[in-house]
């Protein structure tokens, strides 16, 4: 059954006889998630979005006192902070709440006073800002166990002390020797002007053994979501180092719509899905202008989900011959056809202003028509590898089959990798190896 009403509420079920409990958030049409009780059981904290059916809305931290039955907002979305918490935990003494948030493409560990909130004297404390940090628990007073990863380091365990200026202490070294023996690219941030002449952040990786006198191909990797980001992390499906280690310069733009760069920047893509492609094109142009060691005749683009949509959109909208080849993994061919087959109807109705059958949706200006990749099929020329999983219910396999059929009928060089056991992602280890070998071969 399609999900047309994603509202999630927090309920207090301390009265066992009232099996359904007392709904604490019935007046909020948005998502309420991650409920967690204080150590003494007297308070309940959770994350809250205000907007109905918008899964990437700005996030607040809410608090309910089970004794006084009072509601408090500890962190007011968009008022107190430009970023959104994505997890929440209590300190053992109940005085602090710890949470992580995507801040400028880093998963940052933060702390906030559980009584005074963001407006307290300590405000929002940043405990760990580099790389991608996950919180696991408090192992001693104000000493916390975390895991950390980055673009150059697989996940390891660390401890960190609140209020201490000393660096986090690494506790495990599972991959230290292997990483030291692996040729890794050097990641840097590359900023350029994108849509509306606004600054766009991207990651740029040079291949190992980089020689500025040589010419290198460039792999442009655009993330899915579209509300997401390519972060400073060791991703096991879209690992930027895989392409750098195989001799590519890697450009990964965090286009308009990406999380971690302010709520307005994130919202800019809703109803305007072409902006990700526009920012990608601007990033390629900026990189080619800035770095003479990138071979303009060997630029390739690849992505999954919204990134797959972007590959198809670029095929009909990018400057001629900008891309030598494209990879579309579980991407959209036609927005209307994907609307009628997705299991997440609310998402598309929120992004595009309603269902795909309304009078407005039939207008040429409707996003369903103006931003669908199939509109410019007659302009497609770039060779494309299409990948799709049979168990993908977000963007069903017919979108991949349609993309491949269109390429074949247009006489464009193309291949189709069909994964019967996979869903929206290639998760099986053996299939992942086939996926990577096929993509690199293409």
């Amino acid at each position: 059954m399609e999900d047309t009403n994603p509202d999630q509420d927090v309920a207090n079920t301390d009265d066992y006889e009232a099996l359904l409990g007392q709904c604490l958030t019935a007046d909020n049409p948005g998502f309420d998630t991650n409920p967690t009780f204080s150590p003494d059981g007297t308070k309940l904290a959770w994350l809250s979005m205000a907007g109905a059916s918008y899964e990437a809305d700005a996030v607040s931290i809410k608090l309910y006192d089970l004794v006084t039955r009072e509601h408090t907002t500890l962190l007011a979305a968009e008022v107190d902070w430009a970023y959104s918490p994505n997890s929440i935990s209590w300190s053992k003494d109940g005085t602090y709440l710890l949470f992580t948030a995507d801040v400028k493409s880093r998963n940052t560990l933060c702390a906030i006073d559980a009584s005074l909130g963001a407006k307290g004297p300590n405000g929002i404390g940043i405990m760990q800002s580099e790389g991608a940090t996950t919180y696991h628990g408090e192992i001693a007073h104000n000493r916390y166990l975390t895991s950390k990863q980055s673009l150059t380091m697989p996940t390891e365990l660390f401890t960190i002390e609140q209020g201490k200026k000393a660096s986090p202490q690494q506790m495990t070294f599972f991959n230290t020797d292997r990483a030291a023996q692996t040729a890794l690219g050097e990641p840097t941030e590359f900023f350029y002007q994108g849509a509306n002449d606004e600054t766009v952040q991207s990651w740029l990786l040079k291949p190992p053994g980089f020689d500025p006198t040589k010419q290198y191909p460039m792999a442009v990797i655009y993330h899915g979501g579209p509300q997401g980001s390519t972060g400073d992390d060791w991703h096991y499906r879209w690992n930027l180092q895989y392409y750098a280690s195989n001799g590519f310069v890697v450009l990964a733009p965090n286009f308009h719509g990406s999380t971690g760069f302010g709520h307005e920047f994130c919202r800019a893509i809703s109803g305007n899905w072409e902006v990700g492609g526009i920012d990608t094109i601007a990033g390629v142009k900026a990189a080619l202008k800035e770095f003479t060691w990138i071979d303009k005749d060997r630029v390739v683009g690849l992505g999954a989900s919204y990134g797959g949509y972007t590959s198809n959109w670029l095929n009909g909208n990018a400057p001629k011959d900008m891309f030598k080849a494209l990879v579309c993994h579980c991407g959209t061919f036609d927005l209307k056809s994907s609307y009628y087959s997705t299991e997440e109807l609310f998402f598309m109705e929120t992004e595009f202003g309603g269902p795909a059958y309304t009078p407005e949706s039939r207008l040429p200006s409707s996003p369903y028509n103006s931003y669908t990749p199939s509109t410019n099929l007659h302009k497609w020329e770039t060779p494309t590898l299409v990948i799709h999983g049979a168990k993908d219910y977000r963007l069903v396999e017919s979108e991949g089959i349609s993309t491949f059929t269109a390429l074949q009928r247009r006489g464009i060089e193309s291949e189709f990798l069909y994964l019967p056991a996979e869903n929206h992602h290639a998760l099986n280890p053996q299939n992942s190896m086939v996926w990577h070998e096929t993509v690199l071969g293409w």
Side-chain angles (χ1 to χ4, degrees):
M1 183 176 181
E2 292 88 352
D3 189 352
T4 58
N5 183 13
D7 182 25
Q8 297 179 9
D9 295 313
V10 174
N12 170 24
T13 57
D14 57 340
D15 183 356
Y16 182 77
E17 294 181 1
L19 293 178
L20 295 179
Q22 171 194 356
C23 185
L24 301 177
T25 60
D27 59 345
N28 180 37
F31 281 103
D32 294 292
T33 63
N34 297 65
T36 177
F37 282 97
S38 60
D40 63 5
T42 64
K43 296 180 177 65
L44 179 66
W46 67 90
L47 304 181
S48 181
M49 298 180 182
S53 303
Y54 182 38
E55 64 181 15
D57 201 4
V59 177
S60 298
I61 298 179
K62 301 284 188 176
L63 186 74
Y64 178 72
D65 190 312
L66 278 75
V67 178
T68 65
R69 299 189 180 277
E70 293 180 342
H71 287 262
T72 305
T73 299
L74 295 179
L75 189 156
E78 303 193 75
V79 176
D80 294 328
W81 212 31
Y83 313 102
S84 288
N86 54 42
S87 69
I88 187 170
S89 300
W90 288 85
S91 62
K92 281 188 175 181
D93 61 8
T95 60
Y96 281 90
L97 285 164
L98 295 100
F99 62 92
T100 55
D102 185 355
V103 179
K104 298 180 180 178
S105 70
R106 283 106 169 153
N107 201 46
T108 302
L109 180 62
C110 312
I112 191 171
D113 190 291
S115 298
L116 302 175
K119 293 181 172 59
N122 296 323
I124 300 169
I126 305 297
M127 297 174 61
Q128 177 61 41
S129 60
E130 295 303 316
T133 301
T134 301
Y135 176 76
H136 297 296
E138 187 172 358
I139 56 178
H141 181 63
N142 285 346
R143 189 176 180 214
Y144 306 104
L145 179 66
T146 68
S147 56
K148 181 183 175 183
Q149 55 180 300
S150 71
L151 285 165
T152 57
M153 183 186 71
T155 302
E156 300 285 358
L157 292 175
F158 286 76
T159 60
I160 185 172
E161 294 190 44
Q162 188 172 356
K164 299 285 186 179
K165 293 185 178 181
S167 300
Q169 182 179 356
Q170 187 169 347
M171 304 299 292
T172 64
F173 301 85
F174 295 117
N175 292 292
T176 302
D177 291 342
R178 180 167 291 185
Q181 298 169 15
T182 304
L184 299 177
E186 175 190 349
T188 58
E189 290 184 273
F190 176 57
F191 297 89
Y192 61 90
Q193 300 310 114
N196 303 319
D197 201 34
E198 295 177 349
T199 301
V200 174
Q201 182 264 9
S202 68
W203 292 104
L204 185 79
L205 275 70
K206 300 174 184 176
F210 174 76
D211 182 347
T213 65
K214 295 182 178 179
Q215 290 273 290
Y216 294 92
M218 181 166 70
V220 184
I221 299 177
Y222 21 84
H223 64 75
Q227 295 91 352
S229 68
T230 297
D232 186 9
D233 55 41
W234 190 266
H235 203 291
Y236 282 92
R237 284 180 288 108
W238 290 92
N239 193 305
L240 305 189
Q241 290 288 359
Y242 176 74
Y243 304 92
S245 293
N246 279 287
F248 286 89
V249 172
V250 181
L251 178 70
N254 280 312
F255 45 78
H256 281 81
S258 300
T259 55
F261 299 92
H263 302 306
E264 288 305 313
F265 191 86
C266 181
R267 288 196 182 99
I269 203 164
S270 294
N272 182 26
W273 269 30
E274 70 172 3
V275 73
I278 291 172
D279 281 351
T280 298
I281 292 170
V284 172
K285 288 181 176 179
L288 291 175
K289 181 179 180 181
E290 180 79 14
F291 308 113
T292 58
W293 30 263
I294 299 175
D295 187 344
K296 66 179 180 61
D297 295 322
R298 291 190 293 163
V299 177
V300 297
L302 57 162
S305 193
Y306 175 79
Y309 162 95
T310 300
S311 284
N312 288 344
W313 186 90
L314 289 170
N315 215 340
N317 292 277
K320 184 177 176 60
D321 298 327
M322 171 173 276
F323 292 94
K324 183 74 172 179
L326 296 166
V327 177
C328 170
H329 176 103
C330 291
T332 303
F333 174 73
D334 185 89
L335 288 173
K336 283 192 174 181
S337 66
S338 63
Y339 170 84
Y340 289 109
S341 56
T342 185
E343 101 293 14
E344 199 179 38
L345 282 172
F346 78 90
F347 172 77
M348 296 193 70
E349 291 180 358
T350 300
E351 287 296 298
F352 303 129
Y357 52 78
T358 62
E360 293 79 11
S361 71
R362 294 195 293 272
L363 298 174
S365 59
S366 167
Y368 284 109
N369 300 314
S370 57
Y371 299 143
T372 190
S374 59
T375 294
N376 282 341
L377 175 59
H378 60 287
K379 296 181 180 180
W380 288 21
E381 294 181 345
T382 307
T384 302
L385 169 65
V386 182
I387 307 173
H388 224 99
K391 296 182 179 181
D392 186 353
Y393 306 120
R394 182 65 41 83
L395 288 164
V396 300
E397 59 190 354
S398 58
E399 292 299 303
I401 294 170
S402 297
T403 299
F404 181 63
T405 299
L407 291 160
Q408 288 283 296
R409 294 297 289 163
R410 289 268 300 146
I412 300 169
E413 185 179 358
S414 49
E415 291 183 7
F416 187 30
L417 174 61
Y418 183 65
L419 301 171
E422 299 294 351
N423 54 25
H424 200 52
H425 315 285
L427 302 177
N428 180 282
Q430 286 72 30
N431 284 341
S432 179
M433 292 178 65
V434 171
W435 188 98
H436 282 86
E437 290 170 359
T438 304
V439 169
L440 187 63
W442 181 251

